[in-house]
Amino acid sequence: MEIHSNDFKARAREALADQELQKALKLVQVKFVPNRAAAAAEYGDFEALRDAGRDIRNRALENLDLWLERFEQEATRRGAQVHWAKDAAEANAIIVDIAHKNGVKKVVKSKSMVSEECGLNDALEAAGVTPIETDLGEYILQINDHEPPSHIVAPVIHKTREQITELFHAKHHKPRQTDIGALCREAREILRPHFLSADMGISGANFLVAETGSTVIVTNEGNGRLCTTVPRIHVALTGIEKVVPTLEDLSVLLRLLPRSATGQAITNYVSMNTGVAGSGDSDGPEQFHIVLLDNGRSRVLGSELKEMLRCIRCGACMNHCPVYQAVGGHAYGWVYPGPMGSVLTPSYAGMEHAHELPHTATGCGQCSAVCPVRIPLPELMRKEREMQVDAGLRPWTERLALKLWGWSASQPWLYGLGTAIAARFLKGLGGEEKLIHRLPLAGGWTDGRDFPAPAGKTFRELYRAKKELH
Amino acid sequence: MSSRDLILGRIRASIGRSGPADTSAVAAHLQASPRGPASQGDWRNSHEGVLQRFTERATALSSTVERVASWAEVPAAAAAYLISRQLPTRAVCWPTLADQPWAAAGLAVEARPSRGDDLVGITSTFCAVADTGTLMLLSGADTPAATSLLPETHIAVVPVERVVPLMEDGFALLRSEKGEAPRATNFVSGPSRTADIEQTVTLGAHGPYRVHLILVG
Amino acid sequence: MRVALFVTCLADLMRPNVAFAALKLLKLAGCTVEVPETQTCCGQPAYNSGDRATALTLARKVIDEFSGYEYVVLPSGSCAGMIRAHYEELCKDDPALLVKAKKLAASTYELTDFLVNVAKLESVPGDFAGSITYHDSCSGLRELGIKQQPRQLLGKMGQVEIKEMSEAETCCGFGGTFSLKFGDISSKLADNKCENACATGADAIVGGDLGCLLNIEGRLRRKGDRKTQVLHVAEVLAGKLD
């Protein structure tokens, strides 16, 4: 997928001015946040569950090579074919090759963020294969001129019902439906024949189970089950980090994921696919291909950001992020928005393409407070900032300002003088109403806010004067 | 070098592995398969409590639940459900349920795989998970996965002795009774749904619009 | 109890009364308070900006200045959080410094936390007459667990009514340099905060971190609200300063 993360500022500004978007984004706060809180409270000791989730993911990552080898061995034993892709291009090539070898013309897809990461749909289309997105949200985006998703769980969270009504009317050439149930049925009736006629289904995988060689997908709509049940070929594309050791470990993560994502105790369907259809089976694919994507993950594993690989893609970090709530997912300019995206995008797509993202958070810590696997997201964003400073990627003005300020703060006498001057200068700017409406070099602040002026003398001045008095 | 070797090599370098791996920790974890935390509650203390939890949870997820005393009552219960909802009385069922006296209850049930246009699918279940009100369905020649997926109405027969507390208990049964996972292990918790439009839950996305559970025993 | 007051650079420059109020409260709680003269800044802006070297220089300075005291108290959850939650990571490559950093972290407290849980202050002199709504600043809340402490202290002032706002725990949009780098997003978040706070009809918005308070006040005033007061909790609790 094309990356626009360095345009974050401009995209965020557009988002803030977009009234329809602002109306749609309200639902993040109104629905996801309280639903997650209620689900965590209803469960009981959710904190212990989060600890267990963290430990399970760490255990998988500590011996990632061994768990992947075990996974491959079991999957292969059951008749699946495991492919390894070092990057997005290789993943696309593998899948296009499977399609070509099998004369595949049409593919039904269930939602996969890894396929977005790879730009798989474009690769399929370029190779003469038609991909059809079947998750309702992804379908809406696909017929809207291949718009990218703005959320990893709820891809059309940025759209209002009215917009979808108009889109369906325009693309389906049917009467306008304003009822959500009717819109859903319209999409169902258009997509059902595609499921029955497609030659290949492509899914992601929320988890890979090393013990059994299974892929697991977590869905509500049933399109994931259809994609993996009806067509004669199933391709599951996922990241190498998704492996978990055992079915017991899977059970714990399946308690955490839906509660953190949507507040559900379980999603409607949890589908575990193991190997190919048996000789007597009336359904299930004859070929099962599992494509394991690296695309930067093995590098992250050896970096200070490795805790990010625990991520189970629930979206809670973005749902609870005040910045995401304000600007939505498109501002972030790539596949993964919000705090997890601010860590992942520079790692997967290159820091030079996403140098703004580690700065797009206030550091409020709400994301890590809800993360089901306790990823210290603000800390990881801070580490990325360190990487930028070390690599000389920050603007010289910022670097100089920090150095100057740090140097003066190490010289108490100089610092005291500087702040005494600043206090007077700022007081002067504030005038009678004690408010600064425009502050040189701080337009970022004063464009939207006044700056309350200080009293005119610093504490250290006043305190010293008082002490001398006594 | 193959991408496989390249990726595994990078992983080993990243986790600081040099020389042959010590596989004992992995083997020990697979052997022990320790269980993690789960929801606590008095309901786990008795089987009636487990059944009650199952019923509550399934109902909360928009399944309908009834209980009959024996298998003999199942066809009539299924018929009564379909008729009361003004749903078609023609259905497909799992081959394992072929011998049930459906016709005597007024139903036209065929024991064959579901095609795209069947409106009612009748299945049993491998087991059910009370914690979340969930069916655990295993695919197989006599238990095709599509029967619970393609039709708009799914009726599932759940013997009470097959209702277990937790997902882990379902996996334990899978190991002890089947040895290994079948092609598809599907956990189903009510009718299919979507909340993609305005985060408003709507039943009947791509799978069934309704799921009716008949507890037996 | 021998306590060192870390004034914080924002209070020093922007609102000295916050530090005087903290001083008064600590004395009332029976502490012997000292204000190390050479103190400047805890290094948080540099640390959060990725300038580790500068942050480490300032951390060394703070550790030198404040290690000799029984307790170090700051009228800021964010700066106290820097010392308590982040100095260890910052100093991890210097074993000798790390020992000192951990020790300092263990003796460092945010003001209201210290007054409630260590000094066990019984009564407060504040005489604010009216209603207030409390903004929970992020670092204090999530790094230090500051939630009930300020409310408990405010509750000791008989006449004050606390009207809780919705989303009291949501960020006000300040975020240090974030407020400059992404001014429009920051203002939008401040807007949400102001709306929630004003919806309570409280006379004053009170909090424990000056950064947030300047942000909230700045947005309120820009929107034309000259009436709602924005106060640091120390100022409210301490009442009149001499």
Side-chain angles (χ1 to χ4, degrees):
Chain A
M1 187 170 152
E2 223 177 297
I3 181 160
H4 302 282
S5 300
N6 281 346
D7 302 330
F8 177 86
K9 232 175 231 184
R11 294 165 79 93
R13 192 168 306 128
E14 277 173 37
L16 287 169
D18 182 340
Q19 291 310 309
E20 284 287 295
L21 175 65
Q22 290 298 319
K23 190 177 136 199
L25 285 175
K26 280 244 164 19
L27 290 177
V28 176
Q29 243 168 315
V30 173
K31 299 265 185 172
F32 282 122
V33 171
N35 287 352
R36 184 259 173 209
E42 192 273 337
Y43 170 80
D45 193 353
F46 201 63
E47 297 309 303
L49 197 61
R50 291 174 70 209
D51 287 340
R54 175 199 56 206
D55 295 347
I56 286 166
R57 293 296 298 133
N58 279 344
R59 181 177 295 115
L61 295 171
E62 274 160 22
N63 283 305
L64 184 59
D65 54 339
L66 301 181
W67 292 119
L68 283 169
E69 283 174 331
R70 162 79 189 202
F71 172 80
E72 181 186 41
Q73 185 191 328
E74 285 303 305
T76 308
R77 185 175 70 76
R78 296 297 304 276
Q81 297 175 56
V82 177
H83 308 260
W84 301 73
K86 60 183 178 301
D87 56 21
E90 189 174 11
N92 291 344
I94 289 167
I95 296 169
V96 164
D97 186 52
I98 295 167
H100 280 169
K101 277 193 181 137
N102 291 283
V104 169
K105 293 276 169 256
K106 180 160 75 179
V107 167
V108 280
K109 278 185 72 201
S110 75
K111 194 168 81 66
S112 153
M113 297 314 286
V114 174
S115 81
E116 299 280 348
E117 181 182 331
C118 293
L120 176 61
N121 285 1
D122 289 345
L124 288 170
E125 278 172 17
V129 179
T130 307
I132 293 166
E133 294 287 353
T134 62
D135 171 84
L136 178 61
E138 291 284 348
Y139 171 72
I140 289 167
L141 295 172
Q142 190 177 31
I143 65 170
N144 194 31
D145 299 330
H146 306 268
E147 190 183 355
S150 71
H151 189 288
I152 63 169
V153 171
V156 288
I157 187 81
H158 59 285
K159 282 205 171 336
T160 60
R161 180 199 325 197
E162 292 76 21
Q163 289 172 325
I164 295 163
T165 293
E166 290 310 313
L167 179 69
F168 275 23
H169 173 64
K171 300 285 177 174
H172 295 162
H173 311 292
K174 290 190 173 176
R176 279 188 180 78
Q177 299 287 356
T178 53
D179 175 65
I180 292 177
L183 289 166
C184 292
R185 187 173 262 279
E186 191 171 311
R188 174 191 173 109
E189 283 168 4
I190 283 169
L191 288 167
R192 177 58 73 91
H194 288 307
F195 286 117
L196 299 175
S197 59
D199 313 293
M200 184 160 117
I202 297 179
S203 73
N206 294 89
F207 302 105
L208 304 167
V209 185
E211 176 193 344
T212 56
S214 313
T215 64
V216 178
I217 54 173
V218 168
T219 68
N220 281 312
E221 295 184 5
N223 63 315
R225 275 187 75 189
L226 285 160
C227 288
T228 61
T229 304
V230 183
R232 62 191 163 91
I233 302 164
H234 171 205
V235 176
L237 167 64
T238 197
I240 52 172
E241 84 284 16
K242 296 283 177 64
V243 71
V244 297
T246 64
L247 294 171
E248 281 70 16
D249 294 329
L250 173 70
S251 305
V252 170
L253 295 173
L254 287 173
R255 288 189 186 106
L256 278 169
L257 173 59
R259 285 184 171 89
S260 302
T262 55
Q264 293 172 279
I266 190 167
T267 51
N268 218 76
Y269 300 112
V270 174
S271 307
M272 188 169 102
N273 294 301
T274 315
V276 292
S279 53
D281 286 358
S282 60
D283 52 32
E286 302 152 14
Q287 290 179 38
F288 183 18
H289 299 269
I290 302 165
V291 183
L292 301 176
L293 177 71
D294 185 341
N295 208 32
R297 288 159 172 82
S298 60
R299 193 176 55 237
V300 173
L301 184 65
S303 78
E304 286 198 298
L305 306 176
K306 69 174 176 204
E307 290 183 274
M308 194 61 226
L309 294 178
R310 289 206 294 265
C311 178
I312 58 172
R313 303 293 191 270
C314 69
C317 62
M318 58 197 77
N319 293 339
H320 291 76
C321 174
V323 176
Y324 179 93
Q325 288 171 358
V327 301
H330 285 159
Y332 295 80
W334 202 54
V335 185
Y336 304 109
M340 55 85 80
S342 295
V343 178
L344 281 182
T345 307
S347 302
Y348 291 177
M351 186 64 90
E352 68 278 18
H353 299 299
H355 55 74
E356 283 281 66
L357 294 186
H359 302 266
T360 57
T362 63
C364 77
Q366 187 57 45
C367 50
S368 53
V370 295
C371 175
V373 289
R374 298 197 188 279
I375 299 170
L377 287 151
E379 179 60 13
L380 299 187
M381 277 184 256
R382 199 193 55 71
K383 283 191 173 143
E384 286 187 321
R385 297 173 198 174
E386 278 182 7
M387 292 172 188
Q388 293 183 341
V389 169
D390 292 345
L393 284 171
R394 296 305 299 161
W396 68 269
T397 43
E398 182 183 308
R399 279 182 286 162
L400 181 69
L402 280 167
K403 288 288 170 224
L404 269 177
W405 167 82
W407 177 74
S408 77
S410 320
Q411 325 283 326
W413 179 84
L414 181 73
Y415 183 86
L417 180 68
T419 49
I421 294 169
R424 285 162 178 80
F425 172 70
L426 291 172
K427 184 188 181 208
L429 284 182
E432 270 183 26
E433 49 175 6
K434 297 178 183 163
L435 290 173
I436 302 168
H437 302 307
R438 185 140 296 279
L439 194 56
L441 302 175
W445 182 289
T446 51
D447 283 349
R449 287 152 294 191
D450 289 336
F451 189 72
K457 284 187 181 170
T458 63
F459 172 81
R460 79 181 60 230
E461 291 180 87
L462 297 166
Y463 185 69
R464 192 176 298 132
K466 233 178 196 178
K467 261 178 51 179
E468 280 163 12
L469 208 66
H470 289 298
Chain B
M1 192 195 280
S2 72
S3 290
R4 180 186 185 277
D5 294 343
L6 179 77
I7 293 167
L8 287 171
R10 282 178 184 164
I11 292 172
R12 290 184 189 117
S14 281
I15 58 184
R17 200 191 292 297
S18 53
D22 175 7
T23 56
S24 59
V26 165
H29 187 70
L30 282 168
Q31 181 63 35
S33 294
R35 289 191 179 197
S39 47
Q40 298 300 314
D42 294 343
W43 63 269
R44 285 172 64 178
N45 296 341
S46 71
H47 194 242
E48 274 310 309
V50 168
L51 293 179
Q52 197 185 333
R53 168 85 172 193
F54 174 74
T55 304
E56 279 168 17
R57 291 300 151 133
T59 307
L61 293 173
S62 308
S63 294
T64 47
V65 187
E66 69 177 306
R67 187 168 175 179
V68 298
S70 69
W71 273 93
E73 296 172 41
V74 167
Y81 167 77
L82 292 171
I83 291 161
S84 72
R85 305 278 166 135
Q86 294 173 310
L87 294 167
T89 50
R90 178 174 292 279
V92 290
C93 75
W94 275 357
T96 53
L97 302 177
D99 294 341
Q100 297 294 320
W102 303 110
L107 300 178
V109 179
E110 292 176 71
R112 59 158 173 81
S114 170
R115 298 183 295 254
D117 52 357
D118 297 304
L119 292 174
V120 179
I122 305 175
T123 74
S124 182
T125 189
F126 172 68
C127 70
V129 177
D131 186 27
T132 47
T134 301
L135 300 172
M136 180 176 176
L137 304 169
L138 306 186
S139 71
D142 289 337
T143 56
T147 316
S148 61
L149 178 63
L150 291 173
E152 295 196 358
T153 301
H154 173 205
I155 296 175
V157 187
V158 184
V160 292
E161 67 276 11
R162 301 298 292 180
V163 182
V164 297
L166 301 173
M167 185 177 274
E168 285 91 331
D169 299 313
F171 284 135
L173 281 183
L174 176 67
R175 285 198 191 102
S176 65
E177 295 180 4
K178 303 282 177 185
E180 63 182 16
R183 205 276 307 165
T185 306
N186 281 301
F187 292 92
V188 176
S189 309
S192 77
R193 67 196 64 206
T194 178
D196 271 347
I197 303 177
E198 295 193 342
Q199 299 312 297
T200 302
V201 176
T202 307
L203 297 183
H206 291 294
Y209 280 83
R210 54 197 81 79
V211 173
H212 185 62
L213 305 174
I214 303 175
L215 282 165
V216 181
Chain C
M1 277 178 280
R2 191 159 163 264
V3 173
L5 177 66
F6 194 154
V7 169
T8 77
C9 50
L10 268 183
D12 176 48
L13 174 68
M14 299 299 300
R15 225 186 269 192
N17 273 354
V18 171
F20 282 114
L23 202 57
K24 178 175 171 183
L25 291 164
L26 287 169
K27 284 181 178 165
L28 283 170
C31 304
T32 309
V33 189
E34 291 183 38
V35 186
E37 274 191 29
T38 56
Q39 62 172 287
T40 55
C41 169
C42 66
Q44 186 181 193
Y47 186 68
N48 285 349
S49 299
D51 185 349
R52 201 179 174 87
T54 302
L56 193 58
T57 305
L58 293 175
R60 273 181 206 285
K61 178 171 167 294
V62 170
I63 291 168
D64 280 349
E65 287 161 344
F66 286 91
S67 283
Y69 299 91
E70 203 179 347
Y71 296 104
V72 177
V73 176
L74 302 90
S76 158
S78 158
C79 308
M82 176 68 198
I83 298 174
R84 271 181 60 157
H86 300 291
Y87 267 20
E88 185 177 340
E89 195 281 335
L90 179 59
C91 301
K92 67 177 193 277
D93 297 328
D94 181 339
L97 188 66
L98 180 61
V99 172
K100 292 186 198 169
K102 282 185 179 173
K103 196 161 162 277
L104 180 67
S107 61
T108 297
Y109 286 83
E110 183 273 344
L111 176 68
T112 62
D113 189 26
F114 181 80
L115 292 174
V116 169
N117 292 318
V118 182
K120 308 208 188 298
L121 183 64
E122 289 294 330
S123 64
V124 296
D127 54 0
F128 186 87
S131 56
I132 63 172
T133 188
Y134 200 86
H135 164 62
D136 296 297
S137 288
C138 300
S139 305
L141 176 71
R142 282 180 274 274
E143 289 179 352
L144 305 175
I146 312 292
K147 176 76 185 179
Q148 291 313 318
Q149 300 90 321
R151 289 171 175 79
Q152 224 170 301
L153 292 167
L154 290 164
K156 293 181 191 293
M157 299 166 45
Q159 68 278 41
V160 161
E161 183 195 354
I162 302 179
K163 296 177 169 175
E164 294 292 349
M165 67 176 102
S166 63
E167 295 169 36
E169 297 184 0
T170 298
C171 180
C172 71
F174 173 63
T177 54
F178 178 87
S179 62
L180 296 168
K181 282 181 188 153
F182 301 100
D184 41 7
I185 303 173
S186 181
S187 295
K188 161 81 177 167
L189 303 191
D191 237 7
N192 297 344
K193 179 57 66 179
C194 293
E195 271 172 37
N196 283 322
C198 291
T200 64
D203 301 307
I205 303 170
V206 178
D209 269 278
L210 260 184
C212 313
L213 297 175
L214 292 170
N215 185 42
I216 293 167
E217 184 177 358
R219 185 63 188 162
L220 270 184
R221 301 297 176 249
R222 176 61 59 90
K223 300 266 279 182
D225 183 329
R226 299 289 159 106
K227 182 178 95 269
T228 310
Q229 299 181 66
V230 182
L231 300 167
H232 192 282
V233 64
E235 298 173 288
V236 178
L237 295 172
K240 286 206 174 49
L241 301 169
D242 38 72

